[in-house]
Amino acid sequence: MQCECRAEIETAIRDHVEKTLPEGFQDYDAKLQGYGFALSGSQLTAPFFIEYKGEVQVPKKSGGGMKKQKIDTRIAAKYCPFCGKVARPDEKEA
Protein backbone atom coordinates (compact mmCIF):
# COMPACT_ATOMS: atom_id res chain seq x y z
CA MET A 1 0.00 0.00 0.00
CA GLN A 2 1.04 3.56 -0.63
CA CYS A 3 -0.26 4.75 2.73
CA GLU A 4 0.33 4.08 6.41
CA CYS A 5 -3.30 3.19 7.15
CA ARG A 6 -2.54 -0.38 8.15
CA ALA A 7 -0.10 0.64 10.89
CA GLU A 8 -2.28 3.57 12.02
CA ILE A 9 -5.47 1.47 12.20
CA GLU A 10 -3.70 -1.40 13.99
CA THR A 11 -2.34 1.05 16.58
CA ALA A 12 -5.74 2.68 17.09
CA ILE A 13 -7.48 -0.69 17.50
CA ARG A 14 -4.76 -1.92 19.84
CA ASP A 15 -5.12 1.19 22.01
CA HIS A 16 -8.88 0.72 22.15
CA VAL A 17 -8.75 -3.03 22.92
CA GLU A 18 -6.03 -2.63 25.57
CA LYS A 19 -8.34 -0.27 27.52
CA THR A 20 -10.88 -3.10 27.78
CA LEU A 21 -8.41 -5.77 28.94
CA PRO A 22 -7.88 -6.56 32.63
CA GLU A 23 -4.82 -5.12 34.33
CA GLY A 24 -1.72 -7.30 34.00
CA PHE A 25 -2.55 -8.80 30.57
CA GLN A 26 0.38 -10.29 28.64
CA ASP A 27 1.41 -11.43 25.16
CA TYR A 28 -0.94 -9.19 23.19
CA ASP A 29 -0.60 -10.08 19.51
CA ALA A 30 -3.20 -9.01 16.96
CA LYS A 31 -2.98 -7.76 13.36
CA LEU A 32 -5.39 -6.71 10.65
CA GLN A 33 -6.11 -9.69 8.43
CA GLY A 34 -6.23 -9.74 4.66
CA TYR A 35 -2.83 -8.26 3.82
CA GLY A 36 -0.34 -10.30 1.81
CA PHE A 37 2.74 -9.92 -0.32
CA ALA A 38 2.81 -9.51 -4.09
CA LEU A 39 5.29 -8.47 -6.76
CA SER A 40 4.53 -5.35 -8.74
CA GLY A 41 7.16 -5.28 -11.47
CA SER A 42 10.37 -5.75 -9.50
CA GLN A 43 9.02 -4.27 -6.27
CA LEU A 44 7.54 -6.21 -3.34
CA THR A 45 4.23 -4.75 -2.14
CA ALA A 46 1.77 -5.60 0.64
CA PRO A 47 -1.73 -5.10 -0.81
CA PHE A 48 -5.01 -5.78 0.95
CA PHE A 49 -6.68 -8.95 -0.29
CA ILE A 50 -10.39 -9.65 -0.21
CA GLU A 51 -11.07 -13.35 0.30
CA TYR A 52 -13.66 -15.15 -1.81
CA LYS A 53 -14.58 -18.58 -0.44
CA GLY A 54 -17.37 -21.02 -1.03
CA GLU A 55 -18.37 -24.47 -2.20
CA VAL A 56 -19.89 -25.97 -5.34
CA GLN A 57 -21.15 -29.42 -6.29
CA VAL A 58 -19.40 -30.81 -9.40
CA PRO A 59 -19.85 -34.12 -11.22
CA LYS A 60 -17.41 -36.87 -10.23
CA LYS A 61 -14.84 -37.78 -12.92
CA SER A 62 -15.65 -41.45 -12.52
CA GLY A 63 -19.26 -40.71 -13.41
CA GLY A 64 -22.34 -40.95 -11.31
CA GLY A 65 -22.90 -38.59 -8.49
CA MET A 66 -21.57 -35.26 -7.35
CA LYS A 67 -18.78 -34.17 -5.06
CA LYS A 68 -18.14 -31.00 -3.11
CA GLN A 69 -15.38 -28.72 -4.39
CA LYS A 70 -14.07 -25.72 -2.48
CA ILE A 71 -13.76 -22.27 -4.03
CA ASP A 72 -10.85 -20.36 -2.47
CA THR A 73 -9.30 -17.29 -4.08
CA ARG A 74 -8.27 -13.74 -3.24
CA ILE A 75 -8.71 -10.45 -5.03
CA ALA A 76 -6.12 -7.69 -4.50
CA ALA A 77 -7.68 -4.32 -3.73
CA LYS A 78 -6.65 -1.56 -6.14
CA TYR A 79 -7.21 1.09 -3.46
CA CYS A 80 -6.69 1.26 0.30
CA PRO A 81 -10.01 0.37 1.96
CA PHE A 82 -9.42 3.06 4.61
CA CYS A 83 -8.15 6.17 2.78
CA GLY A 84 -8.74 5.39 -0.90
CA LYS A 85 -5.13 5.86 -2.09
CA VAL A 86 -3.94 3.75 -5.01
CA ALA A 87 -2.50 0.45 -3.76
CA ARG A 88 0.30 0.04 -6.30
CA PRO A 89 3.75 1.57 -5.75
CA ASP A 90 4.79 4.80 -7.43
CA GLU A 91 6.28 4.22 -10.87
CA LYS A 92 9.15 6.54 -9.87
CA GLU A 93 10.08 4.24 -6.98
CA ALA A 94 9.86 1.03 -9.06
Side-chain angles (χ1 to χ4, degrees), residues 74-92:
R74 286 156 208 78
I75 302 164
K78 291 185 178 187
Y79 299 91
C80 173
F82 301 108
C83 71
K85 286 187 180 177
V86 176
R88 66 186 177 326
D90 283 334
E91 292 176 14
K92 298 174 207 168

Side-chain angles (χ1 to χ4, degrees), residues 54-71:
E55 297 175 343
V56 63
Q57 292 286 333
V58 297
K60 291 182 179 178
K61 289 181 182 176
S62 60
M66 304 290 273
K67 67 176 184 175
K68 191 182 297 185
Q69 180 175 315
K70 293 192 181 280
I71 300 167

Side-chain angles (χ1 to χ4, degrees), residues 23-72:
E23 202 170 308
F25 70 89
Q26 295 180 357
D27 300 328
Y28 184 103
D29 184 30
K31 302 259 186 268
L32 285 173
Q33 300 299 301
Y35 288 88
F37 294 105
L39 282 174
S40 179
S42 62
Q43 193 169 19
L44 186 64
T45 62
F48 179 73
F49 288 97
I50 300 161
E51 291 191 17
Y52 185 78
K53 292 185 176 196
E55 297 175 343
V56 63
Q57 292 286 333
V58 297
K60 291 182 179 178
K61 289 181 182 176
S62 60
M66 304 290 273
K67 67 176 184 175
K68 191 182 297 185
Q69 180 175 315
K70 293 192 181 280
I71 300 167
D72 187 4

